[in-house]
C-alpha cells in the first residue's frame, strides 16, 4: 500500500479534507475510548461525529477509511480493549 492509496480513491478524489492531520484524529479517538469506556457507538460513528463533522467528509466512506488508517474495524463497538488491540497497517 502506498500513501496515495490511503488518501485518494481510485478516481482520484480525496478521502479527507486538505491538511487533515491523522495523528490528531488518532489522539481524539484514543481520548474518546479512554473517557467513555461503555460507549455504544462504533469506531466509524465516532470518526464521523467527532473527527470529520463539519468538514464535508463526514460520510461513511471517509469514516470507514479513517478507521482503516487508524487500524480498527469501523463496524466494531468502540471500546478501549479493541482500541489497544488494533493493528496498524
Amino acid at each position: 500500500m502506498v500513501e496515495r492509496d490511503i488518501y485518494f480513491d481510485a478516481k482520484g478524489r480525496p478521502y479527507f479534507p486538505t491538511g487533515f492531520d491523522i495523528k490528531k484524529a488518532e489522539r481524539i479517538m484514543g481520548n474518546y475510548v479512554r473517557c467513555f469506556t461503555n460507549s455504544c457507538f462504533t469506531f466509524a460513528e465516532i470518526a464521523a461525529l467527532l473527527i470529520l463533522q463539519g468538514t464535508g467528509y463526514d460520510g461513511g466512506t471517509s469514516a470507514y477509511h479513517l478507521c482503516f488508517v487508524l487500524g480498527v474495524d469501523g463496524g466494531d463497538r468502540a471500546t478501549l480493549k479493541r482500541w489497544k488491540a488494533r493493528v496498524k497497517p
Side-chain angles (χ1 to χ4, degrees):
M1 177 172 45
V2 295
E3 186 174 332
R4 176 169 163 64
D5 295 336
I6 294 175
Y7 298 104
F8 295 97
D9 64 6
K11 294 183 180 180
R13 294 178 297 216
Y15 282 119
F16 307 119
T18 305
F20 186 76
D21 188 2
I22 299 290
K23 292 291 184 186
K24 190 175 193 180
E26 188 174 16
R27 284 193 311 268
I28 292 169
M29 186 75 77
N31 288 338
Y32 179 85
V33 296
R34 283 181 185 88
C35 291
F36 299 101
T37 55
N38 276 341
S39 174
C40 61
F41 291 112
T42 64
F43 283 111
E45 289 173 332
I46 294 170
L49 295 172
L50 287 180
I51 301 170
L52 297 170
Q53 181 69 32
T55 63
Y57 291 84
D58 56 353
T61 303
S62 293
Y64 273 92
H65 197 71
L66 178 60
C67 290
F68 168 75
V69 171
L70 295 178
V72 293
D73 182 12
D76 285 346
R77 197 169 135 237
T79 62
L80 185 59
K81 181 179 178 181
R82 287 188 175 132
W83 178 250
K84 286 183 176 179
R86 67 194 172 124
V87 177
K88 302 265 308 188

